[in-house]
Amino acid sequence: MRIQHPITGAMVALITPMLEDGSVDFDALASLVEFHIENNTHAIVSMGTTGESATLNQSEHIEVMQKTLAFAKGRIPIIAGTGANSTSEAIELTQAAKDMGADAVLLVTPYYNKPTQEGLYQHYKAVAEAVDIDQILYNVPGRTAVDLAVETAVRLSVIKNIIGIKDATGDLTVAQALIEQCPEDFLLYSGDDATAVEFILMGGHGGISVTCNVAPAEVSSAYQAAFNEDRKTAESINANLYDLHQHLFIESNPIPVKWALYKMGKCDSGIRLPLTKLSPQARSVLEQDLSNLGVISR
């Protein structure tokens, strides 16, 4: 039986729009929040990987989360990205998110320092005990160089305010193991656009999506069809997004998605070093996808 929860469905891993000089464009951020509310996105993740959390300092990080909440005005759940490779910093950011009224937080596995599975368990347990807010684990080993084992996720799933996991491995055998071993009320989210529809058809509760930045209505419709166990419709909608799912990772995320939104007129083309603008050779590929979707004209 599928869990009913306010934070399920199509969730966008929102970019942080920037001007050419790299400063955060809060006017564009307000417009993007409206864009997602109008197009049936079910929740917004602020300051996740796609939000360039690694290139903003802590005060900017907190301000972007605050502004996103202010622009949303309670009309859509806001999940704040508060992960860090320092447990104390993750606790500080998580406390800030709670204080500002975030609906939940998303905590990426501590990156670079490569903790053991016991270290990961103790890290997440410490954050959960320190801050009373709903918390979502986030496993993306392709970026962090550490993999949260299914067994560790299952250990953590019984902690009261750890409510779910975003699994971005793209490995559906991992998804199946999580579905089979975690408690029924533990929320399971895909973090891989290419396999998200199948993840939901297997029993997942939604996806935190990069593609949703560009095609929120389509992603939402595909996920809803999957929730309704209408495989044919879900796969048909998803097939039209297949090239976009792939090409939004033609270079490191969020380089392509920021370029796509710039071409759609949703934001300026600003991005912060060490990330750079999408290379000229990749632009034509992505622009063809956007043209095929009808969101730009060529």
Side-chain angles (χ1 to χ4, degrees):
M1 182 175 176
R2 202 177 298 276
I3 302 298
Q4 297 299 312
H5 190 279
I7 305 178
T8 54
M11 294 165 275
V12 63
L14 192 66
I15 70 153
T16 299
M18 296 174 184
L19 300 171
E20 278 292 317
D21 63 3
S23 60
V24 178
D25 184 349
F26 288 108
D27 289 338
L29 180 61
S31 296
L32 287 172
V33 170
E34 293 301 323
F35 175 61
H36 285 287
I37 291 170
E38 291 166 5
N39 282 277
N40 204 32
T41 298
H42 298 132
I44 291 173
V45 173
S46 172
M47 294 308 315
T49 305
T50 310
E52 287 176 84
S53 54
T55 64
L56 274 68
N57 64 39
Q58 191 172 100
S59 63
E60 291 174 316
H61 188 127
I62 290 170
E63 184 178 14
V64 170
M65 296 190 302
Q66 286 175 325
K67 294 283 191 182
T68 304
L69 277 158
F71 296 144
K73 299 176 183 174
R75 294 171 293 166
I76 185 172
I78 304 297
I79 303 166
T82 61
N85 62 346
S86 158
T87 304
S88 60
E89 183 180 351
I91 289 171
E92 288 175 11
L93 286 169
T94 302
Q95 185 62 55
K98 175 181 168 60
D99 292 345
M100 68 181 69
D103 294 278
V105 296
L106 181 69
L107 290 152
V108 71
T109 51
Y111 41 87
Y112 184 74
N113 47 24
K114 299 181 77 171
T116 64
Q117 292 301 310
E118 184 60 25
L120 290 170
Y121 175 79
Q122 294 295 340
H123 167 81
Y124 281 118
K125 181 172 178 284
V127 180
E129 289 176 347
V131 189
D132 185 16
I133 186 173
D134 285 349
Q135 302 183 15
I136 301 165
L137 313 173
Y138 176 17
N139 188 34
V140 57
R143 295 194 73 126
T144 62
V146 62
D147 188 8
L148 182 70
V150 170
E151 294 79 9
T152 308
V154 172
R155 285 181 72 194
L156 290 163
S157 69
V158 299
I159 296 175
K160 182 180 177 183
N161 57 328
I162 296 180
I163 65 165
I165 184 170
K166 173 186 176 183
D167 178 71
T169 63
D171 184 345
L172 292 173
T173 63
V174 171
Q176 187 61 49
L178 289 167
I179 289 166
E180 290 173 355
Q181 297 179 43
C182 290
E184 267 195 21
D185 61 350
F186 193 68
L187 299 167
L188 303 174
Y189 307 123
S190 170
D192 178 66
D193 278 301
T195 57
V197 163
E198 186 61 34
F199 188 110
I200 294 168
L201 286 165
M202 290 167 61
H205 301 102
I208 297 175
S209 166
V210 176
T211 302
C212 195
N213 279 280
V214 174
E218 292 84 352
V219 171
S220 179
S221 295
Y223 287 11
Q224 188 57 56
F227 285 131
N228 293 339
E229 300 181 356
D230 183 353
R231 176 178 288 274
K232 183 178 179 181
T233 300
E235 290 181 344
S236 175
I237 298 168
N238 198 49
N240 291 330
L241 299 172
Y242 178 81
D243 286 344
L244 190 60
H245 291 331
Q246 303 302 318
H247 295 152
L248 285 175
F249 293 87
I250 198 169
E251 291 179 6
S252 296
N253 178 47
I255 292 171
V257 71
K258 293 196 89 174
W259 182 260
L261 287 167
Y262 164 66
K263 293 301 294 184
M264 291 169 63
K266 300 295 184 185
C267 62
D268 208 337
S269 61
I271 196 165
R272 287 193 183 180
L273 288 170
L275 299 177
T276 53
K277 292 179 185 177
L278 190 66
S279 63
Q281 59 267 33
R283 292 177 190 178
S284 60
V285 174
L286 193 54
E287 287 167 14
Q288 184 61 58
D289 295 337
L290 300 176
S291 177
N292 292 343
L293 281 173
V295 295
I296 67 167
S297 56
R298 296 189 78 185

